[in-house]
Amino acid sequence: MTIRLPRLSLPQLCAVALATLLLAACSSTPAPRGTGDLGLVIERASGQVAVVETTGRSRLATVQGLGDLSHAHVTYSRDGRYGYVFGRDGGLAKVDLLLGRIDRRVVQAGNSIGGSISQDGRLVVAQNYDPGGIRVFDADTLEPLSEVPAEYAPGFRSKVVGLADLPGQRFAYALFEAGEIWVTDLSDPRKPRTQRYPAGHQPYDALVTPDGRHFIAGLFGEDGLALLDLWHPEQGVRKILSGYGRGEQPLPVYKMPHLRGWAVAGDYAWLPAIGRHEVLVVDTRDWREVARVPVHSQPVFVMARPDGRQVWVNFAFPDNGKLQVIDTESRSVVETLEPGRAVLHMEFTPRGEAVWVSARDDDKVVVYDTETRRPLAELPAAKPSGIFFTSRAARTGF
């Protein structure tokens, strides 16, 4: 039996060809998805990031070409689609998590250690070591809008650390050599307005409380921390936890604690002690120390599970192969885990049922159930360090 096909005119042939191409394109297009369970894992040795999802605990894509990620940070657009990756070489990249590619990238400084995004999501701000100061960019295009040099004396610029976004299009940050805290208002991003506050000797990192009210800088050059009440900045900076460790032989500091991952559980803050094998418990109502919890070694990150019932702690070299879990009610260590060699970072899933842990020297990320503390999955990763989920997009100071 012979089947005769109808003859098609040239316009009809073109229409058929176009329809065939569209069907082929549709078959290769990823299914639509939201961004709420996505995240980025820094693969520091390769200058790349892994796009991951927490529901199925899987790796979706690899994005290359991000430069020096030896000290990298990620902040997110309001909708969680774009991650802004700040590299140590001054690179600022806008990564599209849904398409798994770089949307655009600029090199904005010689040495940079992080950044933040404004309350309305329209501005991205980089904090720089070299040249010292902050630089402001349009979040959509990465067009440079303005710069605030951290010049604390004629011809002298300070390294900037601890940059945090604040309500009202403001940003707070600390100046290491200057010993100051600056607050910059970017309501008009092309005309920044900055207030300066003496803070103490060598502020090395800082944080803003989850409600955006208090900015706290750790002081490397003296005992204690510097606190600025952002509701009443006219009162200036006051010292809290003064004299911690006074009269004792200080231990060598192998790695500076990171305050950005700090923990608040109820009315208490949990902070890593500098150069000591302890975690400090501080009453946030009056900022007085109420307890110290002995831990395995020098803590680096002290992070609370979202419900505040647990605090997870990792440690500095050479004891960085362990994690410890503190129960915040009893204020005691309830579990010691060994995820792998060189545990550099942790990140809780948005509701805290799991925590992802990077083990750099074993080239893997381990996922734990936070209730049972049993491993749920392992994902291969090339020298992983920071882990950043898109839930950060909805949090002040992240």
Side-chain angles (χ1 to χ4, degrees), residues 66-67 89-93 104-111 135 137 142:
L66 294 167
D89 57 0
L92 166 58
R104 58 197 67 211
R105 181 175 185 266
V106 298
V107 177
Q108 57 83 35
N111 190 340
R135 286 182 170 165
F137 300 86
L142 297 190

Side-chain angles (χ1 to χ4, degrees), residues 183-244:
V183 178
T184 296
D185 186 333
L186 293 173
S187 298
D188 182 345
R190 295 188 183 275
K191 297 179 180 179
R193 293 180 292 118
T194 300
Q195 297 291 324
R196 300 170 56 170
Y197 304 91
H201 191 41
Q202 295 179 328
Y204 66 88
D205 196 12
L207 57 94
V208 62
T209 52
D211 59 5
R213 176 169 180 176
H214 295 100
F215 183 78
I216 302 172
L219 299 174
F220 184 69
E222 60 182 283
D223 287 334
L225 295 92
L227 180 144
L228 178 64
D229 185 340
L230 297 163
W231 287 10
H232 300 287
E234 71 281 356
Q235 297 176 358
V237 171
R238 68 183 179 101
K239 299 292 178 60
I240 61 174
L241 304 183
S242 294
Y244 171 70

Side-chain angles (χ1 to χ4, degrees), residues 5-17:
L5 298 175
R7 290 186 176 182
L8 301 178
S9 66
L10 182 59
Q12 288 174 320
L13 288 171
C14 291
V16 170

Side-chain angles (χ1 to χ4, degrees), residues 51-65:
V51 182
V52 298
E53 53 88 22
T54 61
T55 301
R57 308 182 193 107
S58 69
R59 180 178 185 136
L60 301 177
T62 301
V63 182
Q64 299 176 322

